Amino acid sequence: MGENWGQLRARLGELSSRPIPEPAPRLELPALPADGTAELGYRFGLVLAGGAAKGAYQVGAVECLVHHGIKLHAVAGTSIGALNGVVLASAPTLAEGMTRLVALWTTLTNQFGHNPDGGAQLQSRLVRLLGTRSELERLIEQAVDEQIMATGVPMRVAAFPVPPPLPKLAHLVLPPAAVGHLKLAQEAYNWVRGTLGIKSEIITLNGRSKEEITRAALASAALPFLFPPRSVGGRYYRDGMLGKTNTPIRALAEQDGCDIVLVVHLSPGEPVAPVEREGLTLLQIRPDDELVEGGPLGPLNGLLDFSPTNFQRLRSRGYGDMQRTLTELVQLLSTRDRSAAAAGFLADRMQRVLENRSRLWPQADPLLPLWTGEAPNEYSRAA
């Protein structure tokens, strides 16, 4: 033989002692290919949190996914995240979904208009939001494609179950003031139910009719006092945030088999419950600071700011934050793949040694030389 056992063992020891290569410098994700997707070998899920006008941040995040060729295998959302998600899930490709989502937000925010008061008056924004409600409903209904959703990526929304609204008869027999008080009491009751632990339900939209898909998405975004509850499957629902389910993550792992779940939050400190993330690989994209204005009414003002200026501001921030997360993801996967390759190389060499040892000495313990540091006499004579 060309090499004796001592030489072979020395070479194996040298190989096994080599350090795993250092991670490469930050890498760029592949450019968007012609077909609009780039399969990276993982099943990606996307979860879009709720947050009213702050949902513009998710538009930029999705644009970044498209520009880097990420392919989604499942989508879930709550409130404004549900509305954004249903637009994406109704398109034949993520790139087309992104184009439709940008167009929807552009139309909606242009109708809402700029903030003539500099963004300080809550009443002005509230009035304008109520004025654009019918346009929002029309845009969502227009975006829904039941045929694509029947065979497309799984799409789920979180919605909070509520009692039926007041019957029409109550509006006929009771004075308006009494009807108003009953509505307020009903909304307060729903808030209390949420604080007592009643959870939102996850509604799968695939396979439903266009009308029911639209109602379910709007139900998930039906803010109390501003939008009416919606009927889905004979039951009524409201905004999924009422049931403390702002990031419906678990279904994407249990039912859709996603390897990596991208969660786009709309607040810097928004937590994910342990039951939602146990055993999951989560990449959480969130802003470094609040997306809304400061001051006592700042958060509420920000939730209602659907102005074109705010849309573009949040859209840009979402893109930048997703870009940083994807860069870190590529580093992580690159390092992991290098480590796996090094381990595989060592395993292959070890297997060859054992196979050679077994062929030469079928009756000997193939691992004996590794424990004793000595080769059998037969091996020395064969050498």
Side-chain angles (χ1 to χ4, degrees):
M1 291 183 62
E3 290 182 309
N4 61 31
W5 173 253
Q7 292 173 319
L8 186 61
R9 185 167 162 273
R11 291 181 60 195
L12 180 61
E14 178 188 357
L15 180 64
S16 62
S17 64
R18 291 179 184 175
I20 295 175
E22 292 294 325
R26 286 181 176 252
L27 303 175
E28 293 294 333
L29 280 163
L32 181 65
D35 65 353
T37 63
E39 187 57 70
L40 301 183
Y42 298 90
R43 291 179 62 85
F44 283 89
L46 178 65
V47 174
L48 303 173
K54 294 190 294 182
Y57 178 90
Q58 295 170 346
V59 178
V62 171
E63 285 182 288
C64 188
L65 291 179
V66 170
H67 291 165
H68 287 303
I70 300 295
K71 180 179 179 180
L72 297 180
H73 294 82
V75 181
T78 300
S79 196
I80 193 66
L83 300 184
N84 286 339
V86 79
V87 175
L88 300 177
S90 292
T93 65
L94 185 60
E96 176 62 24
M98 181 268 290
T99 300
R100 296 179 185 182
L101 190 60
V102 171
L104 183 150
W105 275 84
T106 300
T107 301
L108 182 66
T109 55
N110 284 340
Q111 180 167 335
F112 184 89
H114 293 278
N115 295 320
D117 48 26
Q121 292 186 11
L122 176 62
Q123 182 179 2
S124 170
R125 293 182 181 178
L126 183 59
V127 170
R128 284 182 288 158
L129 177 60
L130 293 175
T132 59
R133 187 175 74 182
S134 59
E135 178 66 5
L136 174 62
E137 295 173 355
R138 185 190 69 80
L139 290 171
I140 294 300
E141 182 179 10
Q142 185 180 58
V144 169
D145 189 318
E146 62 180 315
Q147 293 183 343
I148 289 179
M149 291 194 66
T151 57
V153 298
M155 173 67 207
R156 297 181 174 85
V157 301
F160 186 70
V162 297
L166 293 176
K168 293 182 179 180
L169 180 62
H171 294 263
L172 297 175
V173 301
L174 296 176
V179 172
H181 291 153
L182 287 175
K183 286 183 176 181
L184 287 175
Q186 193 172 51
E187 297 294 0
Y189 172 67
N190 291 332
W191 276 105
V192 171
R193 291 174 64 241
T195 60
L196 291 178
I198 304 298
K199 298 296 184 182
S200 294
E201 298 178 5
I202 305 300
I203 303 175
T204 301
L205 304 188
N206 307 83
R208 296 179 181 268
S209 67
K210 178 182 180 72
E211 181 183 5
E212 200 161 52
I213 293 171
T214 303
R215 287 203 305 264
L218 292 173
S220 181
L223 291 167
F225 307 106
L226 296 180
F227 297 96
R230 306 285 173 158
S231 173
V232 182
R235 302 178 63 192
Y236 283 88
Y237 295 90
R238 271 201 172 281
D239 197 302
M241 296 174 65
L242 285 172
K244 315 302 181 189
T245 309
N246 202 29
T247 51
I249 296 168
R250 176 58 58 181
L252 274 69
E254 293 181 345
Q255 301 180 42
D256 304 320
C258 293
D259 304 306
I260 298 174
V261 178
L262 301 164
V263 186
V264 185
H265 297 280
L266 298 178
S267 296
E270 185 172 2
V272 174
V275 69
E276 288 284 1
R277 57 182 167 82
E278 182 179 358
L280 296 179
T281 300
L282 297 186
L283 289 178
Q284 301 188 60
I285 300 89
R286 62 174 87 239
D288 294 331
D289 51 29
E290 289 291 348
L291 297 175
V292 299
E293 309 158 6
L297 296 178
L300 190 54
N301 257 321
L303 290 173
L304 303 178
D305 188 1
F306 284 87
S307 66
T309 302
N310 195 49
F311 165 48
Q312 296 300 341
R313 179 181 70 87
L314 297 183
R315 177 184 177 187
S316 177
R317 287 194 60 178
Y319 189 101
D321 289 344
M322 179 63 82
Q323 173 73 16
R324 284 190 291 273
T325 300
L326 292 182
T327 300
E328 293 169 359
L329 172 63
V330 170
Q331 281 190 295
L332 174 65
L333 297 182
S334 176
T335 302
R336 196 207 68 168
D337 291 343
R338 283 185 172 86
S339 299
F345 182 75
L346 287 174
D348 177 68
R349 291 302 183 269
M350 178 64 76
Q351 183 64 33
R352 292 187 184 183
V353 170
L354 296 179
E355 289 175 354
N356 288 336
R357 176 70 179 85
S358 178
R359 177 173 55 83
L360 291 171
W361 307 287
Q363 305 304 319
D365 179 359
L367 295 180
L368 179 63
L370 300 182
W371 311 144
T372 66
E374 299 178 355
N377 292 334
E378 293 86 348
Y379 185 86
S380 300
R381 287 198 297 270

